[in-house]
Amino acid sequence: MKLGIMQPYFLPYIGYWQLLNIVDVFVIYDDVNYIKRGWINRNRLLENGNAAYFNVFVKDSSQNRHINEMERFHTDKMESRLLKRIFFCYRKAPYFQEIYPIIQAIISDDEENLSAYLLKSIKFVAEYLDIKTSIIKSSDLDKNVLLKGQEKILDICKKLRAEIYYNPIGGKTLYDKQKFEKENIKLFFLKPVNVKYNQFENEFVPSLSIMDVLMFNGKEKTKMLLSKFELD
């Protein structure tokens, strides 16, 4: 069985979806500490030719609380402002009419719990892209909560009987292939390659939200981009 484990992110970049697509089971790592100024509740869009952050706001943000303990802070006015911003950024994108209602539905969802909200958005986009991977939450697993870092990941792998574990290339300094091999688990790192497309007449800005990818590529081209990666 092929396994991936990632924190829930807000409309994450293409590499997240490549990982989700390549595995059989994807674990949403929701019972680990929330990270301020990370990718959990923010991402980047294309605004005036440059990368610019957009956010899901949270109440009483603290790195001493788990992601699944955080709550959203949102109002109709805040959601309307964000949707208006997205509208003006992408209204001339080739697939705007197709994709904007999807983004609108995600942003307008009234779920209060941050983790549950992010999970719903991930499942929403995954279903749209015809990704069939089984998605589960780490908080639902019976595991050793005293373990840290790599040992905690290995414990989840063993509990789910994973034969192959995939991780984004950024985790190469965190995980040791030999330790995984001792547990009869193959470890691979995934890196997106050749994920480049036209963004109006601008110089290409990489690693933006999946929203940007969809606005400029639509469903079918984005599905093709899911295979544009290399494994190490």
Side-chain angles (χ1 to χ4, degrees):
M1 187 269 282
K2 296 177 289 186
L3 179 67
I5 304 172
M6 288 292 291
Q7 296 167 342
Y9 291 160
F10 183 43
L11 295 172
Y13 86 126
I14 188 70
Y16 193 100
W17 305 96
Q18 291 174 332
L19 180 66
L20 176 57
N21 187 54
I22 198 176
V23 298
D24 301 308
V25 177
F26 188 80
V27 176
I28 295 290
Y29 211 16
D30 66 335
D31 56 350
V32 291
N33 285 11
Y34 169 78
I35 300 172
K36 288 184 178 180
R37 301 181 184 87
W39 297 107
I40 294 167
N41 62 303
R42 72 173 181 170
N43 219 292
R44 302 185 306 159
L45 49 67
L46 187 70
E47 192 166 39
N48 300 319
N50 298 302
Y53 287 106
F54 64 102
N55 298 66
V56 173
F57 292 96
V58 296
K59 298 177 182 178
D60 304 319
S61 63
S62 170
Q63 297 194 158
N64 295 318
R65 296 167 64 193
H66 287 170
I67 299 168
N68 60 7
E69 297 173 326
M70 306 298 295
E71 291 188 5
R72 290 173 68 203
F73 175 66
H74 67 109
T75 64
D76 291 343
K77 186 176 181 179
M78 292 167 65
E79 291 170 357
S80 177
R81 187 185 299 126
L82 177 54
L83 286 169
K84 186 176 181 179
R85 183 184 176 197
I86 292 168
F87 175 88
F88 282 107
C89 286
Y90 290 106
R91 69 189 188 280
K92 295 182 180 179
Y95 295 93
F96 174 80
Q97 295 295 334
E98 174 186 332
I99 303 304
Y100 186 73
I102 296 171
I103 302 303
Q104 192 173 33
I106 289 171
I107 290 173
S108 301
D109 191 283
D110 61 1
E111 174 61 57
E112 297 292 333
N113 180 271
L114 177 65
S115 180
Y117 171 75
L118 296 176
L119 176 57
K120 287 172 73 173
S121 69
I122 290 167
K123 288 183 174 181
F124 198 121
V125 175
E127 183 177 355
Y128 179 72
L129 292 174
D130 300 321
I131 296 174
K132 306 300 183 184
T133 301
S134 175
I135 301 175
I136 61 177
K137 297 183 296 182
S138 60
S139 57
D140 288 338
L141 298 175
D142 180 17
K143 58 189 182 301
N144 187 342
V145 296
L146 300 178
L147 297 174
K148 303 292 182 182
Q150 177 174 257
E151 298 306 318
K152 194 171 183 178
I153 296 295
L154 274 167
D155 183 53
I156 294 174
C157 286
K158 289 187 285 185
K159 286 287 190 303
L160 295 175
R161 299 181 179 179
E163 298 167 310
I164 304 174
Y165 176 65
Y166 290 97
N167 199 85
I169 193 69
K172 199 169 183 180
T173 59
L174 302 175
Y175 303 117
D176 183 346
K177 285 196 173 189
Q178 290 186 345
K179 287 193 174 182
F180 278 78
E181 287 173 1
K182 286 180 181 179
E183 302 293 343
N184 296 315
I185 301 168
K186 294 179 180 178
L187 170 61
F188 292 102
F189 297 100
L190 183 150
K191 178 183 179 182
V193 293
N194 299 322
V195 178
K196 193 172 182 179
Y197 48 88
N198 292 328
Q199 295 168 323
F200 303 126
E201 300 301 321
N202 304 303
E203 182 178 348
F204 180 67
V205 181
S207 301
L208 300 184
S209 164
I210 190 67
M211 173 172 63
D212 187 84
V213 182
L214 287 166
M215 288 287 189
F216 289 108
N217 296 278
K219 178 178 180 177
E220 296 307 319
K221 290 181 183 177
T222 298
K223 286 170 65 175
M224 292 176 62
L225 290 175
L226 293 178
S227 64
K228 300 293 184 179
F229 62 83
E230 61 184 18
L231 297 175
D232 184 3

